[in-house]
Amino acid sequence: MADAYIVDTGVFLRWFVDQPGFERAREVQEAFLDDLVELETADFAWIEVAGVLRKKGLLAGRLTAEEFAMAVRVIDDLGVTVHPIGADHLERAAGLAARLTLRMHDAVFAQLALDRGIPLLTTDAKLCHAVEGVVKAELLRGVGEA
């Protein structure tokens, strides 16, 4: 495990929903709570996490309305470092997206990892492969090669 990660939405989702890789995601969460690893993310992760938890948690019957409402606060409640994404970051991320053929939200996380000099922890195998040699990225253990 690295000392710090930029964490994408899929990792946060697995703190609440048992999808492939959830065991490792919860190990990372425990390490964070024990001050063994630092976790950072982009500010729009708040909205992405809430949206995905609504669909894959609440609407799928995996979370109650009360659990869902509490879960959307997890990034702040646990003290994950949240980085504001401004126009300069978006411009750099757009260049990365164009160069590596990334979806823009993936490029934002990848660019943040580049800017911070720490690895990206993701559940997206395609993203890991796309940024290879440019951005240090780690596929969450237990997530298949999609």
Side-chain angles (χ1 to χ4, degrees):
M1 188 176 300
D3 292 333
Y5 291 106
I6 298 298
V7 180
D8 77 2
T9 304
V11 177
F12 292 125
L13 169 68
R14 283 158 177 81
W15 288 1
F16 298 97
V17 177
D18 293 353
Q19 290 192 329
F22 77 91
E23 299 96 340
R24 178 62 173 166
R26 291 174 191 161
E27 287 173 12
V28 170
Q29 181 188 35
E30 285 182 35
F32 173 69
L33 294 173
D34 291 339
D35 291 324
L36 300 175
V37 64
E38 289 294 319
L39 300 180
E40 304 179 18
T41 197
D43 59 4
F44 75 91
W46 286 315
I47 295 171
E48 275 198 338
V49 168
V52 173
L53 283 172
R54 179 184 172 275
K55 180 179 179 182
K56 298 194 180 232
L58 179 68
L59 298 180
R62 294 174 170 161
L63 295 175
T64 65
E66 204 170 278
E67 290 168 332
F68 168 65
M70 288 178 16
V72 300
R73 297 187 46 89
V74 71
I75 292 171
D76 283 353
D77 286 353
L78 295 185
V80 173
T81 300
V82 177
H83 296 279
I85 302 303
D88 292 339
H89 181 93
L90 282 174
E91 182 179 357
R92 291 190 307 279
L96 190 65
R99 197 166 69 246
L100 302 179
T101 316
L102 301 176
R103 295 175 296 193
M104 196 60 200
H105 66 276
D106 290 337
V108 168
F109 284 115
Q111 185 64 51
L112 186 55
L114 271 176
D115 290 350
R116 299 286 301 138
I118 60 177
L120 170 63
L121 183 61
T122 182
T123 58
D124 187 335
K126 290 179 184 178
L127 174 58
C128 270
H129 293 302
V131 301
E132 195 171 342
V134 177
V135 178
K136 187 170 182 179
E138 182 179 318
L139 183 65
L140 187 70
R141 189 176 66 231
V143 175
E145 292 285 323

